[in-house]
Amino acid sequence: MRAHADAYLTRLRGRVAPSTFATQRVSVLRFASWWDATRKVPKNLREADVERYIWGPHECIRGCRGREHRGAGLRETMSDGALNRTLGQVGKFLEWCFRNGYVSGEVIHPATARVRQRQTRRLQLDPDQLIELYEGAKDSYERVICALAAYTGGRAGELNTIRVGDVDLARGEIAWARHKTRRDDDYLPIMSELAEELERWFDVYERECGPISDDWYLVPRRRSVGNPGVMRYYPDEQRVRGCYLVVKKHLARTLGVTEDVLQGEGVHTVRRSVSRCLYEQLCVDRHPDPISVVQALLGHSSRVMTERYIGVEAGRRERDRVLRGRSVLRGGRERGEPAGVRRLRPSG
């Protein structure tokens, strides 16, 4: 199975964003490794085997499905959202195997069907909290990372790959590569507060590393050396673990909680918050089409995606405006009419 997985991933590489490929690679190789440790012939893979991998082994009556039980499979280690992503990734791999005749067709459905998950309200920062996110960071290196997240709405991978030459303070723009959509021709405007933070960081950067080169990473790799608190910068090397750890650390500080409380929150929390704040400010300014501005900032391919991302779907907004605080079933009473006056007339 590992050989099939490698062939599938080789075909997939370059067709999706690097971050998407990395997550799919983990899911596919983990499944392939499990199968090879369990069986040796991929053709013998059956639906029950996939059920066992996902939902864990169990003993029950004949015909019982594993998803009705909680066992030692993936289900015990993942949230609903993470499990659904894994199910989708493994499902696509198995469909590819089926089309090429590597496995039986019965394995695909319903073994990899998604689980139903309850949508929860995502954490939302207000403007003051977004400012505190970066202003409260005492370390200049971490401060500029948080400022970039707060004023660009960028994804973690995007923040991680900006080079000094991409920043043009004179023109007030940053050349922006959107790895998820494989677009590298966008430019983001530099807001006034971000310009101040970048100038502050360039002063520190030059003091630490000497004359700055355009080829250097804006947020380079760094490591502690010798005495505690003494850091060494590697301008030609990208941050090893991305910027999300820094943002999550200061998100926890801003909210006054520990990092383990913020499961599933991080750079996307800041991205979602700044886009929502921008939308609300544009509404106050009576902009004719605020969603289009936010969509361009986020780099979304569709307007509907942006509305869902920031939680302002047009239909829901109109529903809330019309119904919130209104009496519908007792509509006559709100105008002072006595109860029982508004009655349905029998038809005919």
Side-chain angles (χ1 to χ4, degrees), residues 45-69:
L45 187 64
R46 296 293 185 268
E47 178 183 325
D49 297 318
V50 183
E51 290 275 6
R52 189 177 305 110
Y53 171 72
I54 297 170
W55 303 97
H58 71 283
E59 296 179 1
C60 198
I61 60 175
R62 182 180 179 84
C64 179
R65 293 207 175 275
R67 67 179 58 232
E68 297 172 10
H69 296 263

PDB file of all heavy atoms in Angstrom, residues 45-69:
ATOM      1  N   LEU A  45      -8.237  -5.074   0.650  1.00  0.00           N
ATOM      2  CA  LEU A  45      -8.804  -4.048   1.530  1.00  0.00           C
ATOM      3  C   LEU A  45     -10.314  -3.987   1.375  1.00  0.00           C
ATOM      4  O   LEU A  45     -10.833  -3.939   0.261  1.00  0.00           O
ATOM      5  CB  LEU A  45      -8.191  -2.689   1.181  1.00  0.00           C
ATOM      6  CG  LEU A  45      -8.545  -1.516   2.100  1.00  0.00           C
ATOM      7  CD1 LEU A  45      -8.016  -1.767   3.496  1.00  0.00           C
ATOM      8  CD2 LEU A  45      -7.976  -0.222   1.541  1.00  0.00           C
ATOM      9  N   ARG A  46     -11.031  -3.980   2.484  1.00  0.00           N
ATOM     10  CA  ARG A  46     -12.489  -3.965   2.464  1.00  0.00           C
ATOM     11  C   ARG A  46     -13.020  -2.833   3.342  1.00  0.00           C
ATOM     12  O   ARG A  46     -12.275  -2.235   4.128  1.00  0.00           O
ATOM     13  CB  ARG A  46     -13.051  -5.306   2.960  1.00  0.00           C
ATOM     14  CG  ARG A  46     -12.698  -6.487   2.081  1.00  0.00           C
ATOM     15  CD  ARG A  46     -13.375  -6.394   0.716  1.00  0.00           C
ATOM     16  NE  ARG A  46     -13.135  -7.578  -0.093  1.00  0.00           N
ATOM     17  CZ  ARG A  46     -12.131  -7.700  -0.949  1.00  0.00           C
ATOM     18  NH1 ARG A  46     -11.245  -6.719  -1.089  1.00  0.00           N
ATOM     19  NH2 ARG A  46     -11.995  -8.815  -1.648  1.00  0.00           N
ATOM     20  N   GLU A  47     -14.287  -2.589   3.206  1.00  0.00           N
ATOM     21  CA  GLU A  47     -14.915  -1.509   3.976  1.00  0.00           C
ATOM     22  C   GLU A  47     -14.735  -1.707   5.466  1.00  0.00           C
ATOM     23  O   GLU A  47     -14.465  -0.746   6.202  1.00  0.00           O
ATOM     24  CB  GLU A  47     -16.399  -1.438   3.633  1.00  0.00           C
ATOM     25  CG  GLU A  47     -17.155  -0.368   4.420  1.00  0.00           C
ATOM     26  CD  GLU A  47     -18.629  -0.375   4.097  1.00  0.00           C
ATOM     27  OE1 GLU A  47     -19.001  -0.639   2.934  1.00  0.00           O
ATOM     28  OE2 GLU A  47     -19.422  -0.101   5.026  1.00  0.00           O
ATOM     29  N   ALA A  48     -14.867  -2.927   5.928  1.00  0.00           N
ATOM     30  CA  ALA A  48     -14.736  -3.198   7.359  1.00  0.00           C
ATOM     31  C   ALA A  48     -13.342  -2.847   7.870  1.00  0.00           C
ATOM     32  O   ALA A  48     -13.179  -2.426   9.030  1.00  0.00           O
ATOM     33  CB  ALA A  48     -15.046  -4.665   7.648  1.00  0.00           C
ATOM     34  N   ASP A  49     -12.324  -2.999   7.028  1.00  0.00           N
ATOM     35  CA  ASP A  49     -10.964  -2.654   7.435  1.00  0.00           C
ATOM     36  C   ASP A  49     -10.827  -1.150   7.647  1.00  0.00           C
ATOM     37  O   ASP A  49     -10.187  -0.691   8.601  1.00  0.00           O
ATOM     38  CB  ASP A  49      -9.959  -3.116   6.375  1.00  0.00           C
ATOM     39  CG  ASP A  49      -9.949  -4.624   6.207  1.00  0.00           C
ATOM     40  OD1 ASP A  49     -10.006  -5.323   7.239  1.00  0.00           O
ATOM     41  OD2 ASP A  49      -9.894  -5.085   5.058  1.00  0.00           O
ATOM     42  N   VAL A  50     -11.422  -0.367   6.740  1.00  0.00           N
ATOM     43  CA  VAL A  50     -11.362   1.082   6.883  1.00  0.00           C
ATOM     44  C   VAL A  50     -12.135   1.526   8.111  1.00  0.00           C
ATOM     45  O   VAL A  50     -11.723   2.424   8.854  1.00  0.00           O
ATOM     46  CB  VAL A  50     -11.909   1.771   5.618  1.00  0.00           C
ATOM     47  CG1 VAL A  50     -11.781   3.280   5.740  1.00  0.00           C
ATOM     48  CG2 VAL A  50     -11.173   1.288   4.378  1.00  0.00           C
ATOM     49  N   GLU A  51     -13.287   0.887   8.348  1.00  0.00           N
ATOM     50  CA  GLU A  51     -14.070   1.194   9.547  1.00  0.00           C
ATOM     51  C   GLU A  51     -13.237   0.945  10.802  1.00  0.00           C
ATOM     52  O   GLU A  51     -13.245   1.733  11.742  1.00  0.00           O
ATOM     53  CB  GLU A  51     -15.327   0.325   9.584  1.00  0.00           C
ATOM     54  CG  GLU A  51     -16.374   0.667   8.544  1.00  0.00           C
ATOM     55  CD  GLU A  51     -17.282   1.789   9.006  1.00  0.00           C
ATOM     56  OE1 GLU A  51     -17.020   2.363  10.089  1.00  0.00           O
ATOM     57  OE2 GLU A  51     -18.236   2.103   8.284  1.00  0.00           O
ATOM     58  N   ARG A  52     -12.501  -0.155  10.803  1.00  0.00           N
ATOM     59  CA  ARG A  52     -11.687  -0.501  11.967  1.00  0.00           C
ATOM     60  C   ARG A  52     -10.568   0.514  12.167  1.00  0.00           C
ATOM     61  O   ARG A  52     -10.244   0.890  13.294  1.00  0.00           O
ATOM     62  CB  ARG A  52     -11.096  -1.905  11.785  1.00  0.00           C
ATOM     63  CG  ARG A  52     -10.414  -2.444  13.042  1.00  0.00           C
ATOM     64  CD  ARG A  52      -9.907  -3.858  12.832  1.00  0.00           C
ATOM     65  NE  ARG A  52     -10.973  -4.739  12.386  1.00  0.00           N
ATOM     66  CZ  ARG A  52     -11.059  -5.258  11.167  1.00  0.00           C
ATOM     67  NH1 ARG A  52     -10.128  -4.983  10.258  1.00  0.00           N
ATOM     68  NH2 ARG A  52     -12.045  -6.051  10.844  1.00  0.00           N
ATOM     69  N   TYR A  53      -9.970   0.969  11.072  1.00  0.00           N
ATOM     70  CA  TYR A  53      -8.884   1.951  11.166  1.00  0.00           C
ATOM     71  C   TYR A  53      -9.395   3.269  11.739  1.00  0.00           C
ATOM     72  O   TYR A  53      -8.747   3.899  12.576  1.00  0.00           O
ATOM     73  CB  TYR A  53      -8.291   2.186   9.775  1.00  0.00           C
ATOM     74  CG  TYR A  53      -7.311   3.337   9.706  1.00  0.00           C
ATOM     75  CD1 TYR A  53      -6.049   3.241  10.277  1.00  0.00           C
ATOM     76  CD2 TYR A  53      -7.660   4.534   9.073  1.00  0.00           C
ATOM     77  CE1 TYR A  53      -5.153   4.293  10.221  1.00  0.00           C
ATOM     78  CE2 TYR A  53      -6.767   5.587   9.011  1.00  0.00           C
ATOM     79  CZ  TYR A  53      -5.521   5.467   9.575  1.00  0.00           C
ATOM     80  OH  TYR A  53      -4.643   6.522   9.519  1.00  0.00           O
ATOM     81  N   ILE A  54     -10.574   3.684  11.299  1.00  0.00           N
ATOM     82  CA  ILE A  54     -11.103   4.989  11.703  1.00  0.00           C
ATOM     83  C   ILE A  54     -11.747   4.945  13.081  1.00  0.00           C
ATOM     84  O   ILE A  54     -11.499   5.816  13.918  1.00  0.00           O
ATOM     85  CB  ILE A  54     -12.126   5.495  10.672  1.00  0.00           C
ATOM     86  CG1 ILE A  54     -11.431   5.720   9.311  1.00  0.00           C
ATOM     87  CG2 ILE A  54     -12.798   6.783  11.148  1.00  0.00           C
ATOM     88  CD1 ILE A  54     -12.383   5.977   8.168  1.00  0.00           C
ATOM     89  N   TRP A  55     -12.549   3.895  13.317  1.00  0.00           N
ATOM     90  CA  TRP A  55     -13.379   3.894  14.521  1.00  0.00           C
ATOM     91  C   TRP A  55     -12.887   2.973  15.615  1.00  0.00           C
ATOM     92  O   TRP A  55     -13.432   2.968  16.707  1.00  0.00           O
ATOM     93  CB  TRP A  55     -14.812   3.539  14.145  1.00  0.00           C
ATOM     94  CG  TRP A  55     -15.347   4.476  13.118  1.00  0.00           C
ATOM     95  CD1 TRP A  55     -15.385   4.271  11.765  1.00  0.00           C
ATOM     96  CD2 TRP A  55     -15.841   5.791  13.328  1.00  0.00           C
ATOM     97  NE1 TRP A  55     -15.890   5.376  11.129  1.00  0.00           N
ATOM     98  CE2 TRP A  55     -16.181   6.324  12.067  1.00  0.00           C
ATOM     99  CE3 TRP A  55     -16.038   6.561  14.465  1.00  0.00           C
ATOM    100  CZ2 TRP A  55     -16.694   7.603  11.909  1.00  0.00           C
ATOM    101  CZ3 TRP A  55     -16.564   7.836  14.310  1.00  0.00           C
ATOM    102  CH2 TRP A  55     -16.887   8.340  13.053  1.00  0.00           C
ATOM    103  N   GLY A  56     -11.873   2.182  15.303  1.00  0.00           N
ATOM    104  CA  GLY A  56     -11.316   1.332  16.343  1.00  0.00           C
ATOM    105  C   GLY A  56     -11.990  -0.027  16.397  1.00  0.00           C
ATOM    106  O   GLY A  56     -13.141  -0.196  15.994  1.00  0.00           O
ATOM    107  N   PRO A  57     -11.279  -1.035  16.909  1.00  0.00           N
ATOM    108  CA  PRO A  57     -11.845  -2.385  16.992  1.00  0.00           C
ATOM    109  C   PRO A  57     -12.915  -2.469  18.066  1.00  0.00           C
ATOM    110  O   PRO A  57     -12.886  -1.746  19.054  1.00  0.00           O
ATOM    111  CB  PRO A  57     -10.624  -3.244  17.352  1.00  0.00           C
ATOM    112  CG  PRO A  57      -9.723  -2.302  18.083  1.00  0.00           C
ATOM    113  CD  PRO A  57      -9.916  -0.956  17.422  1.00  0.00           C
ATOM    114  N   HIS A  58     -13.867  -3.359  17.852  1.00  0.00           N
ATOM    115  CA  HIS A  58     -14.904  -3.574  18.855  1.00  0.00           C
ATOM    116  C   HIS A  58     -15.543  -4.931  18.611  1.00  0.00           C
ATOM    117  O   HIS A  58     -15.423  -5.515  17.537  1.00  0.00           O
ATOM    118  CB  HIS A  58     -15.963  -2.473  18.785  1.00  0.00           C
ATOM    119  CG  HIS A  58     -16.820  -2.557  17.568  1.00  0.00           C
ATOM    120  ND1 HIS A  58     -16.375  -2.147  16.340  1.00  0.00           N
ATOM    121  CD2 HIS A  58     -18.077  -3.021  17.367  1.00  0.00           C
ATOM    122  CE1 HIS A  58     -17.324  -2.333  15.430  1.00  0.00           C
ATOM    123  NE2 HIS A  58     -18.368  -2.874  16.016  1.00  0.00           N
ATOM    124  N   GLU A  59     -16.241  -5.436  19.610  1.00  0.00           N
ATOM    125  CA  GLU A  59     -16.962  -6.692  19.487  1.00  0.00           C
ATOM    126  C   GLU A  59     -18.438  -6.398  19.733  1.00  0.00           C
ATOM    127  O   GLU A  59     -18.821  -5.837  20.748  1.00  0.00           O
ATOM    128  CB  GLU A  59     -16.442  -7.713  20.496  1.00  0.00           C
ATOM    129  CG  GLU A  59     -14.986  -8.104  20.262  1.00  0.00           C
ATOM    130  CD  GLU A  59     -14.510  -9.102  21.290  1.00  0.00           C
ATOM    131  OE1 GLU A  59     -15.328  -9.488  22.155  1.00  0.00           O
ATOM    132  OE2 GLU A  59     -13.330  -9.493  21.234  1.00  0.00           O
ATOM    133  N   CYS A  60     -19.262  -6.789  18.789  1.00  0.00           N
ATOM    134  CA  CYS A  60     -20.684  -6.494  18.929  1.00  0.00           C
ATOM    135  C   CYS A  60     -21.462  -7.523  18.109  1.00  0.00           C
ATOM    136  O   CYS A  60     -20.910  -8.513  17.618  1.00  0.00           O
ATOM    137  CB  CYS A  60     -20.968  -5.075  18.459  1.00  0.00           C
ATOM    138  SG  CYS A  60     -22.567  -4.448  19.057  1.00  0.00           S
ATOM    139  N   ILE A  61     -22.735  -7.241  17.916  1.00  0.00           N
ATOM    140  CA  ILE A  61     -23.569  -8.170  17.179  1.00  0.00           C
ATOM    141  C   ILE A  61     -23.232  -8.133  15.693  1.00  0.00           C
ATOM    142  O   ILE A  61     -22.629  -7.184  15.212  1.00  0.00           O
ATOM    143  CB  ILE A  61     -25.065  -7.842  17.382  1.00  0.00           C
ATOM    144  CG1 ILE A  61     -25.369  -6.419  16.875  1.00  0.00           C
ATOM    145  CG2 ILE A  61     -25.438  -7.964  18.844  1.00  0.00           C
ATOM    146  CD1 ILE A  61     -26.838  -6.070  16.926  1.00  0.00           C
ATOM    147  N   ARG A  62     -23.626  -9.120  14.983  1.00  0.00           N
ATOM    148  CA  ARG A  62     -23.351  -9.226  13.553  1.00  0.00           C
ATOM    149  C   ARG A  62     -23.994  -8.043  12.812  1.00  0.00           C
ATOM    150  O   ARG A  62     -25.147  -7.693  13.056  1.00  0.00           O
ATOM    151  CB  ARG A  62     -23.906 -10.540  13.024  1.00  0.00           C
ATOM    152  CG  ARG A  62     -23.630 -10.778  11.541  1.00  0.00           C
ATOM    153  CD  ARG A  62     -24.221 -12.120  11.119  1.00  0.00           C
ATOM    154  NE  ARG A  62     -24.002 -12.372   9.710  1.00  0.00           N
ATOM    155  CZ  ARG A  62     -22.894 -12.895   9.201  1.00  0.00           C
ATOM    156  NH1 ARG A  62     -21.905 -13.243  10.014  1.00  0.00           N
ATOM    157  NH2 ARG A  62     -22.758 -13.100   7.907  1.00  0.00           N
ATOM    158  N   GLY A  63     -23.243  -7.436  11.932  1.00  0.00           N
ATOM    159  CA  GLY A  63     -23.770  -6.336  11.131  1.00  0.00           C
ATOM    160  C   GLY A  63     -23.573  -4.966  11.751  1.00  0.00           C
ATOM    161  O   GLY A  63     -23.923  -3.955  11.138  1.00  0.00           O
ATOM    162  N   CYS A  64     -23.024  -4.908  12.953  1.00  0.00           N
ATOM    163  CA  CYS A  64     -22.814  -3.607  13.604  1.00  0.00           C
ATOM    164  C   CYS A  64     -21.678  -2.858  12.923  1.00  0.00           C
ATOM    165  O   CYS A  64     -20.679  -3.456  12.519  1.00  0.00           O
ATOM    166  CB  CYS A  64     -22.489  -3.822  15.076  1.00  0.00           C
ATOM    167  SG  CYS A  64     -22.194  -2.283  15.961  1.00  0.00           S
ATOM    168  N   ARG A  65     -21.823  -1.545  12.817  1.00  0.00           N
ATOM    169  CA  ARG A  65     -20.793  -0.728  12.187  1.00  0.00           C
ATOM    170  C   ARG A  65     -19.908  -0.082  13.254  1.00  0.00           C
ATOM    171  O   ARG A  65     -20.362   0.330  14.310  1.00  0.00           O
ATOM    172  CB  ARG A  65     -21.416   0.356  11.310  1.00  0.00           C
ATOM    173  CG  ARG A  65     -22.143  -0.200  10.108  1.00  0.00           C
ATOM    174  CD  ARG A  65     -22.151   0.809   8.979  1.00  0.00           C
ATOM    175  NE  ARG A  65     -22.739   0.243   7.771  1.00  0.00           N
ATOM    176  CZ  ARG A  65     -22.069  -0.466   6.893  1.00  0.00           C
ATOM    177  NH1 ARG A  65     -20.785  -0.704   7.085  1.00  0.00           N
ATOM    178  NH2 ARG A  65     -22.659  -0.942   5.820  1.00  0.00           N
ATOM    179  N   GLY A  66     -18.629   0.050  12.933  1.00  0.00           N
ATOM    180  CA  GLY A  66     -17.682   0.581  13.894  1.00  0.00           C
ATOM    181  C   GLY A  66     -17.977   1.998  14.320  1.00  0.00           C
ATOM    182  O   GLY A  66     -17.695   2.402  15.440  1.00  0.00           O
ATOM    183  N   ARG A  67     -18.568   2.806  13.422  1.00  0.00           N
ATOM    184  CA  ARG A  67     -18.797   4.204  13.765  1.00  0.00           C
ATOM    185  C   ARG A  67     -19.847   4.368  14.856  1.00  0.00           C
ATOM    186  O   ARG A  67     -20.036   5.459  15.376  1.00  0.00           O
ATOM    187  CB  ARG A  67     -19.184   5.010  12.522  1.00  0.00           C
ATOM    188  CG  ARG A  67     -20.508   4.667  11.922  1.00  0.00           C
ATOM    189  CD  ARG A  67     -20.816   5.546  10.714  1.00  0.00           C
ATOM    190  NE  ARG A  67     -19.787   5.408   9.703  1.00  0.00           N
ATOM    191  CZ  ARG A  67     -19.148   6.450   9.152  1.00  0.00           C
ATOM    192  NH1 ARG A  67     -19.435   7.663   9.533  1.00  0.00           N
ATOM    193  NH2 ARG A  67     -18.238   6.265   8.225  1.00  0.00           N
ATOM    194  N   GLU A  68     -20.553   3.291  15.194  1.00  0.00           N
ATOM    195  CA  GLU A  68     -21.531   3.365  16.277  1.00  0.00           C
ATOM    196  C   GLU A  68     -20.872   3.193  17.643  1.00  0.00           C
ATOM    197  O   GLU A  68     -21.522   3.255  18.664  1.00  0.00           O
ATOM    198  CB  GLU A  68     -22.608   2.297  16.064  1.00  0.00           C
ATOM    199  CG  GLU A  68     -23.400   2.511  14.776  1.00  0.00           C
ATOM    200  CD  GLU A  68     -24.319   1.351  14.471  1.00  0.00           C
ATOM    201  OE1 GLU A  68     -24.473   0.484  15.358  1.00  0.00           O
ATOM    202  OE2 GLU A  68     -24.889   1.315  13.368  1.00  0.00           O
ATOM    203  N   HIS A  69     -19.568   2.966  17.643  1.00  0.00           N
ATOM    204  CA  HIS A  69     -18.836   2.742  18.888  1.00  0.00           C
ATOM    205  C   HIS A  69     -17.664   3.692  18.992  1.00  0.00           C
ATOM    206  O   HIS A  69     -17.192   4.234  18.005  1.00  0.00           O
ATOM    207  CB  HIS A  69     -18.334   1.296  18.951  1.00  0.00           C
ATOM    208  CG  HIS A  69     -19.426   0.297  18.988  1.00  0.00           C
ATOM    209  ND1 HIS A  69     -19.888  -0.264  20.146  1.00  0.00           N
ATOM    210  CD2 HIS A  69     -20.187  -0.215  17.990  1.00  0.00           C
ATOM    211  CE1 HIS A  69     -20.865  -1.099  19.877  1.00  0.00           C
ATOM    212  NE2 HIS A  69     -21.072  -1.088  18.574  1.00  0.00           N
TER     213      HIS A  69
END
